[in-house]
Amino acid sequence: MGNWGDLAGQTISALIGTLAGGGIAVYVARWQTARTLESQLRVAASQEASASALARRS
């Protein structure tokens, strides 16, 4: 019975580690996506402002 208990303990530990790692990966991916979107929005706004200024000069 001791071997089954060890196996169950190791299985539960592996499952907890997998779930924690997956949760961290999802959190980081969402954070990185949000940062990328913010950056792209700033670049798009800057390009739009530059295009408008150039159009007024022409």
Side-chain angles (χ1 to χ4, degrees):
M1 182 82 76
N3 288 338
W4 286 109
D6 291 343
L7 179 62
Q10 291 173 1
T11 302
I12 290 171
S13 295
L15 180 60
I16 290 170
T18 300
L19 291 174
I24 291 168
V26 167
Y27 175 77
V28 169
R30 289 176 58 107
W31 174 79
Q32 188 174 19
T33 300
R35 295 273 313 245
T36 300
L37 288 174
E38 289 173 12
S39 176
Q40 289 180 353
L41 285 172
R42 283 194 301 269
V43 169
S46 175
Q47 288 176 342
E48 181 66 28
S50 296
S52 295
L54 183 61
R56 283 191 299 257
R57 288 186 200 143
S58 298

